[in-house]
Amino acid sequence: MCSPSTQTLEIRVADAARALAALGLVDAFGHVSARDADHMVITPAADLATVAASDCLRVRLTTTALPSRCPAEAWAHLALYQRYPATGAIARAQPAASLAVGMRTDRFSPTHGQACWLGDSIPVYPSALLVREADRGRRLAEAMGSADAMILRGNGAIAMGSDPATAVATMSVLATACTVWLQMGGEPAAPLSAEEIRAWQAVKPELLPRLGAHLLRKAGQAGPAR
């Protein structure tokens, strides 16, 4: 088995894509990308369960036209990479609970410790229109603010990470946070304090990669298909 450091970026993106599918976080739609200098590597417009490394596309971050087979919502990925230089990878998925949360609030607080890794609060993008144009991508990136994940009203969610595995982990944490928020019936009576949130965020660089590796192993993508 190759370590992540010796795998090509296309392999890591494809592994993450199939993990999202195996974990039930995407349906027929969704995509994963990763930054590579002035390009991004992104999955094609296809069922993520079927994506191989050779299917991934390379797109210049400053492109004005998407290549054939590229998902139309790649404009959201491009805008996020341009606005957030520290972002190394992005996952786009449709956790079922995110659809319900997106119709009930415009922002929600972390529901548990790991949810603090998403940000001080998690925004909801207010429009259900598909992000299939560069201008809409830029508006989405602006709405992300200081969070690492955002619910897209009526359209699932988008999450950022330092690499493809941590983007998957961020999306998984968001899905759990949405489920817990709904189970609570909305905002908690006693939300996590600023001190508690900061304490959890301080261990994010240590613990989020471990969660990402666990999820890829759980999904059977620890060193998979080419």
Side-chain angles (χ1 to χ4, degrees):
M1 181 190 305
C2 297
S3 69
S5 61
T6 61
Q7 293 175 340
T8 68
L9 197 54
E10 284 82 358
I11 289 174
R12 295 168 69 191
V13 167
D15 287 357
R18 290 194 305 279
L20 283 178
L23 294 167
L25 294 173
V26 293
D27 46 32
F29 310 98
H31 16 94
V32 177
S33 69
R35 185 197 298 267
D36 188 9
D38 59 353
H39 286 72
M40 70 173 176
V41 174
I42 190 168
T43 53
D47 183 342
L48 293 191
T50 69
V51 169
S54 58
D55 298 319
C56 293
L57 308 169
R58 283 187 169 263
V59 182
R60 186 174 291 276
L61 296 182
T62 56
T63 190
T64 57
L66 299 179
S68 174
R69 299 190 303 116
C70 189
E73 285 194 338
W75 292 116
H77 295 242
L78 292 168
L80 288 168
Y81 287 128
Q82 290 163 10
R83 188 173 181 86
Y84 301 97
T87 294
I90 295 167
R92 173 77 171 87
Q94 300 85 27
S98 71
L99 300 174
V101 173
M103 300 306 291
R104 292 185 55 182
T105 187
D106 59 3
R107 181 175 293 271
F108 70 105
S109 304
T111 54
H112 60 291
Q114 290 184 9
C116 299
W117 300 338
L118 305 172
D120 291 354
S121 64
I122 300 92
V124 176
Y125 188 61
S127 174
L129 294 174
L130 293 169
V131 186
R132 292 185 154 215
E133 300 170 1
D135 284 345
R136 289 181 182 171
R138 285 190 285 270
R139 289 197 291 272
L140 181 148
E142 291 171 4
M144 182 75 81
S146 60
D148 278 349
M150 181 165 61
I151 293 173
L152 308 183
R153 185 175 184 268
N155 195 20
I158 194 162
M160 303 188 295
S162 59
D163 55 64
T166 56
V168 170
T170 303
M171 182 61 73
S172 177
V173 169
L174 177 62
T176 299
C178 289
T179 298
V180 174
W181 191 88
L182 292 172
Q183 290 173 338
M184 293 188 306
E187 289 295 298
L192 297 180
S193 69
E195 180 183 11
E196 290 169 325
I197 291 173
R198 295 291 175 267
W200 274 93
Q201 290 174 345
V203 298
K204 176 180 176 179
E206 173 193 353
L207 300 184
L208 189 62
R210 283 176 55 187
L211 179 60
H214 164 77
L215 291 171
L216 262 64
R217 179 196 59 75
K218 180 180 178 180
Q221 303 302 334
R226 305 293 179 255

